[in-house]
Amino acid sequence: MTAHALEAAGLTLAYDKRVISTDLSVHVPAGSFTAIIGPNACGKSTLLRALSRLLAPRAGTVLLDGRDIAERGAKELARELGLLPQTSLAPDGIRVADLVARGRFPHQRVFDRWSPDDEAAVLRAMSATDVLDLSGRLVDELSGGQRQRVWVAMALAQETATLLLDEPTTFLDIAHQIEVLELFRRINLEDGRTLVAVLHDLNQAARYASHIIAMKDGRVVAAGAPTDVITPEVVQDVFSVPCRVIEDPEAHTPLVIPLVRR
Amino acid sequence: MSVDLGRPVAVWRPRPRTSLRVDRRAVAVGLVLLAIVCVLAVVSLAYGTYQLSLGEVVGALTGNGDRRAHTLVVEWRLPRLLFAIGCGIALALAGSIFQSLTRNPLGSPDVIGLDAGSYAGAVIVTLVIGSTAYTDIALGSLVGGLLTAALVYVLAYRRGAQGFRLIIVGIAVAAMLSSFNAYVMMREDPQTAMIVAAWGAGSLASLGYSQLVPFSIALVALLPLAALLARPLAQLELGDDAARSQGVHAERVRLGATILGVAFASLVSAAAGPIAFVALVAPQIAHRLARTAGPSPVVSALTGAALLVSADVVAQHLAVATGLVTVTLGGLYFIWLLIREYRRS
Ligand SMILES: Nc1ncnc2c1ncn2[C@@H]1O[C@H](COP(=O)(O)OP(=O)(O)OP(=O)(O)O)[C@@H](O)[C@H]1O
Ligand SMILES: [Mg+2]
């Protein structure tokens, strides 16, 4: 896969009258693992929805690989750019493998159903997310973490060069969080996919991402390499949390230590 | 290597680059339903005021029977049977489309007010135009159903027509239309009121080839559209964001599916009057029998045909309107649902 950059310029994002962002510009470098951080309700999901054309901006453009996403065909764009929404709904009575297979939709024409490519993609996605053992289970009857991995598998099965993930690690225990993040790092480095993930754990963002975008009140406060963005000043500014930032003794990336409140 | 779905799947490879995954359970259920429809068909052709033997039925169908058998089977009973099958298919598909759209087992055309709307259309035609001709009533009911659907859609629309709102608004509109219908019926002269009431009960008894031909043409024209919309519609059940990020035109699919579901339902109302509950029940039975994800159109259609043909056999036997039998059936379905929910909690 050739990695694509994602470039948003001058975005005004709003739901009806409620304006979330004005003149927002964001740069996602090609082939990067970009993490978006910021407090609740600051507009992270809204930004991802604009980057994936779910929300039409009032003003501004989003360019994928230099081309305006507004001008692409729906399925054509879906073969290049995937999104894992923060919340999704599982159809009543659907089983895991069927749900993952739904990710192949943009690759199928109206009446051709299932190709060996589809089969292979679904298998790869399921083994990468460690859900092969669950394949015949009802999605309704899975634990929150199992379900989350199934959704990630569905997004992976779409096999897009660019993948946007809205809080992919929520509901996961520490072991599966690490597993999923390692998986993202692997597909980022090995397949050369561009990844954008909303993450709430700053230390995980610093450890796994190559590029971090910090947001607050619909604006980008800082963007760049983890060492440039994860600083006491930025964390104070964005989250109003006083902290020290030390070097992670294991990964040598920034590690946020909140100060003890007295 | 292939993915284990936890249930038997047959893989059929017509060409090297394509393979069709067929859910064996769904296929088996489909075949059984087909067999049931065939048996019921023979029963409905053979039984009646004049009973015929199997040989006589087959003879009449192949053109080798005597005049009496020919008249009974081909001219009288066959159109009614074909109507039952066609209406069963149309209703089940309408139900399956609306249940998929609303993500709710109660989302069916009769619940969201289309039947009441068709009925209102028929009532208005008889009162205002003063006509009790079949074509006028059929046209009135078609227009009534379509207008009601448009009204419900517009009232439920808020940044896209959402499932649950559609149901609530539909129930409200249906209630208002029912009281309107009752009011108007009181003002009709008794004879007209009788005709309208008989039509409103939903009957296949008086239908012949002159109604069957336009009905079948319309039904056959709609089926490919249903096939075309089936996958995007199933994809929409993942929620708008997930579906749209996979290349589904959510609003377009929703509008198209709504129109198609309304068309299937109105087709039946126009031809036979409102036949309740088949649209509601068939997709749910199909879903449970085939254990598919969401309502499956093909199994639903076969279930609908089997349901309506059996309801019509019973109706024929008891000499009552088919719609009355399906209403009873629907009542039983709700009691069963209640008991199940009660047992669960
Ligand atoms: N569909 C919507 N209609 C109206 N307002 C919305 C809608 N979705 C989000 N908002 C508002 O937009 C703002 C930004 O929401 P958004 O979902 O982008 O936040 P977020 O940064 O993803 O937060 P979180 O970390 O809690 O997921 C919030 O104030 C929210 O109330
Ligand atoms: Mg969010």
Side-chain angles (χ1 to χ4, degrees):
Chain A
M1 271 180 226
T2 30
H4 296 324
L6 201 51
E7 192 83 55
L11 294 182
T12 299
L13 306 177
Y15 298 100
D16 290 335
K17 289 208 183 68
R18 189 201 305 257
V19 177
I20 310 299
S21 295
T22 42
D23 198 24
L24 176 67
S25 294
V26 171
H27 171 66
V28 174
S32 67
F33 182 165
T34 296
I36 301 180
I37 59 170
N40 291 136
C42 74
K44 304 181 296 296
S45 300
T46 305
L47 173 61
L48 282 201
R49 298 185 77 235
L51 293 179
S52 55
R53 210 173 60 174
L54 293 181
L55 180 70
R58 288 274 168 81
T61 49
V62 177
L63 305 180
L64 176 64
D65 192 26
R67 294 198 292 150
D68 193 340
I69 61 167
E71 284 156 16
R72 306 288 185 88
K75 274 195 172 180
E76 181 206 336
L77 183 64
R79 285 192 290 268
E80 294 182 12
L81 180 87
L83 169 77
L84 176 69
Q86 192 167 358
T87 47
S88 304
L89 303 162
D92 191 20
I94 198 168
R95 285 164 203 280
V96 169
D98 284 336
L99 187 62
V100 178
R102 293 288 180 96
R104 298 301 296 167
F105 181 82
H107 298 273
Q108 298 165 325
R109 278 167 306 173
V110 179
F111 287 115
D112 60 19
R113 292 260 151 157
W114 197 248
S115 71
D117 288 347
D118 295 329
E119 185 85 18
V122 168
L123 269 177
R124 266 198 302 278
M126 289 180 69
S127 70
T129 47
D130 193 21
V131 295
L132 271 174
D133 291 344
L134 305 175
S135 66
R137 295 271 300 275
L138 286 171
V139 174
D140 296 331
E141 294 175 358
L142 299 180
S143 78
Q146 290 175 322
R147 204 173 303 152
Q148 183 68 7
R149 282 185 286 140
V150 172
W151 286 114
V152 172
M154 188 183 85
L156 289 182
Q158 202 171 330
E159 302 216 307
T160 54
T162 308
L163 185 54
L164 314 182
L165 304 144
D166 201 343
E167 302 193 20
T169 50
T170 18
F171 301 120
L172 300 184
D173 63 42
I174 178 100
H176 281 113
Q177 284 183 22
I178 292 173
E179 207 167 291
V180 164
L181 288 166
E182 291 283 350
L183 164 69
F184 292 155
R185 165 140 69 193
R186 212 163 56 235
I187 62 174
N188 170 241
L189 295 177
E190 289 173 11
D191 307 353
R193 300 199 212 191
T194 307
L195 293 186
V196 183
V198 173
L199 297 176
H200 277 301
D201 187 319
L202 302 186
N203 296 331
Q204 284 180 348
R207 182 182 278 204
Y208 289 97
S210 59
H211 187 82
I212 295 185
I213 299 171
M215 289 183 70
K216 181 188 172 185
D217 296 334
R219 292 175 294 113
V220 172
V221 173
T227 40
D228 298 333
V229 176
I230 304 297
T231 60
E233 295 74 32
V234 172
V235 175
Q236 169 69 45
D237 182 13
V238 171
F239 294 98
S240 312
V241 172
C243 69
R244 281 185 350 168
V245 173
I246 61 170
E247 189 186 283
D248 178 341
E250 195 60 34
H252 309 292
T253 49
L255 187 69
V256 175
I257 313 280
L259 298 188
V260 177
R261 299 211 177 163
R262 295 170 214 279
Chain B
M1 188 181 166
S2 69
V3 183
D4 169 28
L5 292 170
R7 58 199 155 82
V9 167
V11 179
W12 177 53
R13 295 186 198 280
R15 279 171 290 150
R17 297 290 304 157
T18 39
S19 65
L20 212 59
R21 285 197 313 180
V22 195
D23 186 333
R24 279 201 215 144
R25 185 179 174 100
V27 172
V29 168
L31 289 176
V32 169
L33 286 167
L34 201 60
I36 292 175
V37 171
C38 289
V39 170
L40 288 167
V42 172
V43 169
S44 91
L45 291 178
Y47 286 88
T49 326
Y50 301 98
Q51 289 201 7
L52 299 173
S53 70
L54 189 59
E56 281 174 308
V57 170
V58 174
L61 286 177
T62 51
N64 302 321
D66 56 18
R67 273 208 64 102
R68 188 185 71 108
H70 180 83
T71 308
L72 278 176
V73 172
V74 179
E75 284 172 27
W76 293 352
R77 292 178 188 169
L78 189 59
R80 178 173 183 165
L81 168 69
L82 294 177
F83 250 113
I85 294 174
C87 289
I89 291 174
L91 286 172
L93 288 176
S96 138
I97 286 172
F98 278 110
Q99 290 177 8
S100 192
L101 268 177
T102 56
R103 302 175 46 91
N104 191 315
L106 288 181
S108 97
D110 31 4
V111 174
I112 63 172
L114 301 196
D115 281 6
S118 300
Y119 195 28
V123 166
I124 290 171
V125 163
T126 53
L127 185 79
V128 177
I129 307 178
S131 163
T132 51
Y134 173 81
T135 43
D136 291 339
I137 294 190
L139 199 67
S141 100
L142 193 63
V143 173
L146 296 180
L147 284 181
T148 309
L151 179 72
V152 172
Y153 192 83
V154 168
L155 288 180
Y157 196 91
R158 221 185 73 192
R159 254 195 267 123
Q162 297 303 320
F164 197 59
R165 289 171 60 85
L166 213 62
I167 295 177
I168 299 293
V169 171
I171 290 176
V173 169
M176 286 189 286
L177 283 172
S178 298
S179 65
F180 168 81
N181 291 343
Y183 168 76
V184 176
M185 288 285 275
M186 304 282 283
R187 307 180 52 121
E188 303 243 27
D189 70 82
Q191 213 181 346
T192 313
M194 277 299 290
I195 295 176
V196 177
W199 182 87
S203 168
L204 304 173
S206 57
L207 299 173
Y209 286 106
S210 56
Q211 294 95 15
L212 185 65
V213 172
F215 174 86
S216 314
I217 291 174
L219 182 62
V220 170
L222 292 177
L223 289 178
L225 298 179
L228 204 69
L229 274 174
R231 292 195 57 233
L233 192 56
Q235 209 71 5
L236 212 51
E237 289 181 33
L238 297 172
D240 273 26
D241 279 3
R244 286 176 59 201
S245 71
Q246 289 172 351
V248 177
H249 291 281
E251 262 333 286
R252 212 186 290 174
V253 168
R254 216 190 319 268
L255 183 63
T258 309
I259 292 173
L260 189 63
V262 171
F264 276 126
S266 324
L267 192 59
V268 174
S269 307
I275 294 177
F277 289 111
V278 175
L280 181 73
V281 179
Q284 290 302 311
I285 295 181
H287 173 53
R288 297 215 155 67
L289 288 179
R291 300 208 191 122
T292 49
S296 132
V298 177
V299 184
S300 296
L302 287 168
T303 310
L307 274 180
L308 197 49
V309 173
S310 43
D312 196 44
V313 168
V314 174
Q316 233 169 327
H317 194 71
L318 302 177
V320 296
T322 318
L324 287 183
V325 179
T326 62
V327 169
T328 315
L329 209 109
L332 293 175
Y333 170 72
F334 273 117
I335 291 173
W336 173 77
L337 261 190
L338 276 178
I339 292 176
R340 214 176 58 119
E341 290 302 313
Y342 180 75
R343 283 231 186 99
R344 229 187 231 173
S345 55

